[in-house]
Amino acid sequence: MRYRVIALDLDGTLLTPQKTILPESLEAIKRAREAGYQVLIVTGRHHVAIHPFYQALALDTPAICCNGTYLYDYHAKNVISSSPMPAPQAQELIDLLETHQIHGLMYVDDAMLYQLPTGHVLRTENWARSLPAHQRPVFLQVPSLRDAASQANAIWKFALTDENIDRLHEVVAHIEKAFGFACEWSWHDQVDVALAGNSKGNRLAEWLASQGMTMQDVVAFGDNYNDLSMLERAGLGIAMGNADRAIQDRVSTVIGPNTEPSIANAIYQYLL
């Protein structure tokens, strides 16, 4: 099969644990683009938190952000298509989270908002401060997420974290039952909550259809549960060696970890 698109998750996949892209990956992706492949970032991140990677890859394609909640055109600086969470539903969710004392980030418009600086928030902010000012994502501490939700133009998702993973599982199960939201684990201690129907696979398929292509034209790389919607539907779904065994068992191909030039090797083996 002649593939036409490379879809790349970021954290745990293209990025090393130090949030960098291996030089071998950069070179292989550059060669793939020169050979005619289109390369898309497909991430759980907000578009304001992928600037350095998008620019390092020198892409001209839109980015799929917040687990498929929206498609963002970096060059035009606008959202092409999206399915944000309505403010009233977001506020009900915030009430529930406050009851259970679960904290996290609310992704809106061009920023990420929080009430309390939890460990995840602090780690992400520390990473942001290490970037040049023009690449730095916007984190804002607000007195009330509930009030902020009423003022946002678009609410993309919530990223929830808790040190007690069992308790987080229980709250997520309650959210799924009470609201019917899409809840996807994007890290071992983080669950992303968005409007039902949003997924990396669905938004990627939508963009492909607009370009006259299908998921069979895609080679997709990922490492976590929020990647399965594209890995299982892609012409070639590739899981990283650092992915959980449950992820690896559901895809056709498993490569080395994100600490090694595994993506570069796969591109040369399957595409170039």
Side-chain angles (χ1 to χ4, degrees), residues 218-231:
V218 177
V219 175
F221 294 85
D223 77 300
N224 223 314
Y225 292 91
N226 62 334
D227 297 312
L228 284 172
S229 62
M230 68 173 181
L231 294 179

mmCIF file with all atom_site columns, all heavy atoms in Angstrom, residues 218-231:
data_model
loop_
_atom_site.group_PDB
_atom_site.id
_atom_site.type_symbol
_atom_site.label_atom_id
_atom_site.label_alt_id
_atom_site.label_comp_id
_atom_site.label_asym_id
_atom_site.label_entity_id
_atom_site.label_seq_id
_atom_site.pdbx_PDB_ins_code
_atom_site.Cartn_x
_atom_site.Cartn_y
_atom_site.Cartn_z
_atom_site.occupancy
_atom_site.B_iso_or_equiv
_atom_site.pdbx_formal_charge
_atom_site.auth_seq_id
_atom_site.auth_comp_id
_atom_site.auth_asym_id
_atom_site.auth_atom_id
_atom_site.pdbx_PDB_model_num
ATOM 1   N N   . VAL A 1 218 ? -3.085 6.420  5.975  1.00 0.00 ? 218 VAL A N   1
ATOM 2   C CA  . VAL A 1 218 ? -2.338 6.963  7.113  1.00 0.00 ? 218 VAL A CA  1
ATOM 3   C C   . VAL A 1 218 ? -1.434 5.932  7.770  1.00 0.00 ? 218 VAL A C   1
ATOM 4   O O   . VAL A 1 218 ? -1.822 4.782  7.976  1.00 0.00 ? 218 VAL A O   1
ATOM 5   C CB  . VAL A 1 218 ? -3.322 7.508  8.178  1.00 0.00 ? 218 VAL A CB  1
ATOM 6   C CG1 . VAL A 1 218 ? -2.574 8.007  9.411  1.00 0.00 ? 218 VAL A CG1 1
ATOM 7   C CG2 . VAL A 1 218 ? -4.170 8.618  7.591  1.00 0.00 ? 218 VAL A CG2 1
ATOM 8   N N   . VAL A 1 219 ? -0.243 6.389  8.126  1.00 0.00 ? 219 VAL A N   1
ATOM 9   C CA  . VAL A 1 219 ? 0.605  5.686  9.086  1.00 0.00 ? 219 VAL A CA  1
ATOM 10  C C   . VAL A 1 219 ? 0.559  6.520  10.364 1.00 0.00 ? 219 VAL A C   1
ATOM 11  O O   . VAL A 1 219 ? 0.938  7.697  10.355 1.00 0.00 ? 219 VAL A O   1
ATOM 12  C CB  . VAL A 1 219 ? 2.057  5.564  8.595  1.00 0.00 ? 219 VAL A CB  1
ATOM 13  C CG1 . VAL A 1 219 ? 2.921  4.928  9.671  1.00 0.00 ? 219 VAL A CG1 1
ATOM 14  C CG2 . VAL A 1 219 ? 2.122  4.750  7.317  1.00 0.00 ? 219 VAL A CG2 1
ATOM 15  N N   . ALA A 1 220 ? 0.063  5.941  11.445 1.00 0.00 ? 220 ALA A N   1
ATOM 16  C CA  . ALA A 1 220 ? -0.129 6.682  12.692 1.00 0.00 ? 220 ALA A CA  1
ATOM 17  C C   . ALA A 1 220 ? 0.773  6.121  13.784 1.00 0.00 ? 220 ALA A C   1
ATOM 18  O O   . ALA A 1 220 ? 0.916  4.898  13.926 1.00 0.00 ? 220 ALA A O   1
ATOM 19  C CB  . ALA A 1 220 ? -1.592 6.611  13.138 1.00 0.00 ? 220 ALA A CB  1
ATOM 20  N N   . PHE A 1 221 ? 1.365  7.025  14.566 1.00 0.00 ? 221 PHE A N   1
ATOM 21  C CA  . PHE A 1 221 ? 2.225  6.659  15.687 1.00 0.00 ? 221 PHE A CA  1
ATOM 22  C C   . PHE A 1 221 ? 1.598  7.145  16.988 1.00 0.00 ? 221 PHE A C   1
ATOM 23  O O   . PHE A 1 221 ? 1.180  8.308  17.075 1.00 0.00 ? 221 PHE A O   1
ATOM 24  C CB  . PHE A 1 221 ? 3.607  7.308  15.550 1.00 0.00 ? 221 PHE A CB  1
ATOM 25  C CG  . PHE A 1 221 ? 4.428  6.823  14.385 1.00 0.00 ? 221 PHE A CG  1
ATOM 26  C CD1 . PHE A 1 221 ? 4.282  7.381  13.124 1.00 0.00 ? 221 PHE A CD1 1
ATOM 27  C CD2 . PHE A 1 221 ? 5.366  5.807  14.563 1.00 0.00 ? 221 PHE A CD2 1
ATOM 28  C CE1 . PHE A 1 221 ? 5.060  6.951  12.055 1.00 0.00 ? 221 PHE A CE1 1
ATOM 29  C CE2 . PHE A 1 221 ? 6.145  5.373  13.495 1.00 0.00 ? 221 PHE A CE2 1
ATOM 30  C CZ  . PHE A 1 221 ? 5.990  5.938  12.236 1.00 0.00 ? 221 PHE A CZ  1
ATOM 31  N N   . GLY A 1 222 ? 1.562  6.304  18.014 1.00 0.00 ? 222 GLY A N   1
ATOM 32  C CA  . GLY A 1 222 ? 1.003  6.721  19.297 1.00 0.00 ? 222 GLY A CA  1
ATOM 33  C C   . GLY A 1 222 ? 1.446  5.814  20.418 1.00 0.00 ? 222 GLY A C   1
ATOM 34  O O   . GLY A 1 222 ? 2.092  4.775  20.186 1.00 0.00 ? 222 GLY A O   1
ATOM 35  N N   . ASP A 1 223 ? 1.094  6.197  21.649 1.00 0.00 ? 223 ASP A N   1
ATOM 36  C CA  . ASP A 1 223 ? 1.549  5.424  22.802 1.00 0.00 ? 223 ASP A CA  1
ATOM 37  C C   . ASP A 1 223 ? 0.492  5.237  23.884 1.00 0.00 ? 223 ASP A C   1
ATOM 38  O O   . ASP A 1 223 ? 0.727  4.492  24.837 1.00 0.00 ? 223 ASP A O   1
ATOM 39  C CB  . ASP A 1 223 ? 2.763  6.106  23.443 1.00 0.00 ? 223 ASP A CB  1
ATOM 40  C CG  . ASP A 1 223 ? 2.366  7.317  24.271 1.00 0.00 ? 223 ASP A CG  1
ATOM 41  O OD1 . ASP A 1 223 ? 1.772  8.251  23.707 1.00 0.00 ? 223 ASP A OD1 1
ATOM 42  O OD2 . ASP A 1 223 ? 2.632  7.336  25.489 1.00 0.00 ? 223 ASP A OD2 1
ATOM 43  N N   . ASN A 1 224 ? -0.657 5.909  23.769 1.00 0.00 ? 224 ASN A N   1
ATOM 44  C CA  . ASN A 1 224 ? -1.577 5.854  24.902 1.00 0.00 ? 224 ASN A CA  1
ATOM 45  C C   . ASN A 1 224 ? -3.007 5.601  24.443 1.00 0.00 ? 224 ASN A C   1
ATOM 46  O O   . ASN A 1 224 ? -3.297 5.518  23.249 1.00 0.00 ? 224 ASN A O   1
ATOM 47  C CB  . ASN A 1 224 ? -1.481 7.140  25.729 1.00 0.00 ? 224 ASN A CB  1
ATOM 48  C CG  . ASN A 1 224 ? -1.470 6.842  27.228 1.00 0.00 ? 224 ASN A CG  1
ATOM 49  O OD1 . ASN A 1 224 ? -2.271 6.043  27.715 1.00 0.00 ? 224 ASN A OD1 1
ATOM 50  N ND2 . ASN A 1 224 ? -0.564 7.475  27.963 1.00 0.00 ? 224 ASN A ND2 1
ATOM 51  N N   . TYR A 1 225 ? -3.922 5.514  25.413 1.00 0.00 ? 225 TYR A N   1
ATOM 52  C CA  . TYR A 1 225 ? -5.297 5.144  25.114 1.00 0.00 ? 225 TYR A CA  1
ATOM 53  C C   . TYR A 1 225 ? -5.996 6.171  24.226 1.00 0.00 ? 225 TYR A C   1
ATOM 54  O O   . TYR A 1 225 ? -6.856 5.808  23.423 1.00 0.00 ? 225 TYR A O   1
ATOM 55  C CB  . TYR A 1 225 ? -6.072 4.936  26.421 1.00 0.00 ? 225 TYR A CB  1
ATOM 56  C CG  . TYR A 1 225 ? -5.589 3.730  27.184 1.00 0.00 ? 225 TYR A CG  1
ATOM 57  C CD1 . TYR A 1 225 ? -4.583 3.851  28.146 1.00 0.00 ? 225 TYR A CD1 1
ATOM 58  C CD2 . TYR A 1 225 ? -6.103 2.465  26.933 1.00 0.00 ? 225 TYR A CD2 1
ATOM 59  C CE1 . TYR A 1 225 ? -4.108 2.739  28.837 1.00 0.00 ? 225 TYR A CE1 1
ATOM 60  C CE2 . TYR A 1 225 ? -5.639 1.346  27.613 1.00 0.00 ? 225 TYR A CE2 1
ATOM 61  C CZ  . TYR A 1 225 ? -4.642 1.492  28.564 1.00 0.00 ? 225 TYR A CZ  1
ATOM 62  O OH  . TYR A 1 225 ? -4.165 0.387  29.236 1.00 0.00 ? 225 TYR A OH  1
ATOM 63  N N   . ASN A 1 226 ? -5.638 7.440  24.360 1.00 0.00 ? 226 ASN A N   1
ATOM 64  C CA  . ASN A 1 226 ? -6.270 8.442  23.509 1.00 0.00 ? 226 ASN A CA  1
ATOM 65  C C   . ASN A 1 226 ? -5.773 8.375  22.069 1.00 0.00 ? 226 ASN A C   1
ATOM 66  O O   . ASN A 1 226 ? -6.292 9.078  21.199 1.00 0.00 ? 226 ASN A O   1
ATOM 67  C CB  . ASN A 1 226 ? -6.063 9.848  24.074 1.00 0.00 ? 226 ASN A CB  1
ATOM 68  C CG  . ASN A 1 226 ? -4.608 10.258 24.152 1.00 0.00 ? 226 ASN A CG  1
ATOM 69  O OD1 . ASN A 1 226 ? -3.712 9.418  24.249 1.00 0.00 ? 226 ASN A OD1 1
ATOM 70  N ND2 . ASN A 1 226 ? -4.359 11.554 24.118 1.00 0.00 ? 226 ASN A ND2 1
ATOM 71  N N   . ASP A 1 227 ? -4.788 7.509  21.795 1.00 0.00 ? 227 ASP A N   1
ATOM 72  C CA  . ASP A 1 227 ? -4.302 7.319  20.419 1.00 0.00 ? 227 ASP A CA  1
ATOM 73  C C   . ASP A 1 227 ? -4.984 6.154  19.709 1.00 0.00 ? 227 ASP A C   1
ATOM 74  O O   . ASP A 1 227 ? -4.885 6.025  18.483 1.00 0.00 ? 227 ASP A O   1
ATOM 75  C CB  . ASP A 1 227 ? -2.789 7.063  20.420 1.00 0.00 ? 227 ASP A CB  1
ATOM 76  C CG  . ASP A 1 227 ? -2.000 8.233  20.962 1.00 0.00 ? 227 ASP A CG  1
ATOM 77  O OD1 . ASP A 1 227 ? -2.270 9.362  20.537 1.00 0.00 ? 227 ASP A OD1 1
ATOM 78  O OD2 . ASP A 1 227 ? -1.112 8.010  21.810 1.00 0.00 ? 227 ASP A OD2 1
ATOM 79  N N   . LEU A 1 228 ? -5.669 5.312  20.462 1.00 0.00 ? 228 LEU A N   1
ATOM 80  C CA  . LEU A 1 228 ? -6.224 4.100  19.863 1.00 0.00 ? 228 LEU A CA  1
ATOM 81  C C   . LEU A 1 228 ? -7.230 4.384  18.758 1.00 0.00 ? 228 LEU A C   1
ATOM 82  O O   . LEU A 1 228 ? -7.329 3.632  17.787 1.00 0.00 ? 228 LEU A O   1
ATOM 83  C CB  . LEU A 1 228 ? -6.877 3.226  20.940 1.00 0.00 ? 228 LEU A CB  1
ATOM 84  C CG  . LEU A 1 228 ? -5.898 2.448  21.829 1.00 0.00 ? 228 LEU A CG  1
ATOM 85  C CD1 . LEU A 1 228 ? -6.644 1.782  22.978 1.00 0.00 ? 228 LEU A CD1 1
ATOM 86  C CD2 . LEU A 1 228 ? -5.128 1.413  21.011 1.00 0.00 ? 228 LEU A CD2 1
ATOM 87  N N   . SER A 1 229 ? -7.972 5.483  18.886 1.00 0.00 ? 229 SER A N   1
ATOM 88  C CA  . SER A 1 229 ? -8.985 5.789  17.872 1.00 0.00 ? 229 SER A CA  1
ATOM 89  C C   . SER A 1 229 ? -8.370 6.031  16.502 1.00 0.00 ? 229 SER A C   1
ATOM 90  O O   . SER A 1 229 ? -9.040 5.848  15.486 1.00 0.00 ? 229 SER A O   1
ATOM 91  C CB  . SER A 1 229 ? -9.810 7.012  18.289 1.00 0.00 ? 229 SER A CB  1
ATOM 92  O OG  . SER A 1 229 ? -8.989 8.162  18.398 1.00 0.00 ? 229 SER A OG  1
ATOM 93  N N   . MET A 1 230 ? -7.105 6.432  16.462 1.00 0.00 ? 230 MET A N   1
ATOM 94  C CA  . MET A 1 230 ? -6.449 6.563  15.152 1.00 0.00 ? 230 MET A CA  1
ATOM 95  C C   . MET A 1 230 ? -5.555 5.357  14.850 1.00 0.00 ? 230 MET A C   1
ATOM 96  O O   . MET A 1 230 ? -5.463 4.931  13.696 1.00 0.00 ? 230 MET A O   1
ATOM 97  C CB  . MET A 1 230 ? -5.647 7.865  15.046 1.00 0.00 ? 230 MET A CB  1
ATOM 98  C CG  . MET A 1 230 ? -4.433 7.996  15.900 1.00 0.00 ? 230 MET A CG  1
ATOM 99  S SD  . MET A 1 230 ? -3.496 9.519  15.492 1.00 0.00 ? 230 MET A SD  1
ATOM 100 C CE  . MET A 1 230 ? -2.119 9.378  16.652 1.00 0.00 ? 230 MET A CE  1
ATOM 101 N N   . LEU A 1 231 ? -4.925 4.779  15.874 1.00 0.00 ? 231 LEU A N   1
ATOM 102 C CA  . LEU A 1 231 ? -4.041 3.639  15.630 1.00 0.00 ? 231 LEU A CA  1
ATOM 103 C C   . LEU A 1 231 ? -4.798 2.444  15.063 1.00 0.00 ? 231 LEU A C   1
ATOM 104 O O   . LEU A 1 231 ? -4.318 1.755  14.160 1.00 0.00 ? 231 LEU A O   1
ATOM 105 C CB  . LEU A 1 231 ? -3.339 3.228  16.926 1.00 0.00 ? 231 LEU A CB  1
ATOM 106 C CG  . LEU A 1 231 ? -2.341 4.215  17.530 1.00 0.00 ? 231 LEU A CG  1
ATOM 107 C CD1 . LEU A 1 231 ? -1.768 3.649  18.825 1.00 0.00 ? 231 LEU A CD1 1
ATOM 108 C CD2 . LEU A 1 231 ? -1.228 4.552  16.554 1.00 0.00 ? 231 LEU A CD2 1
#
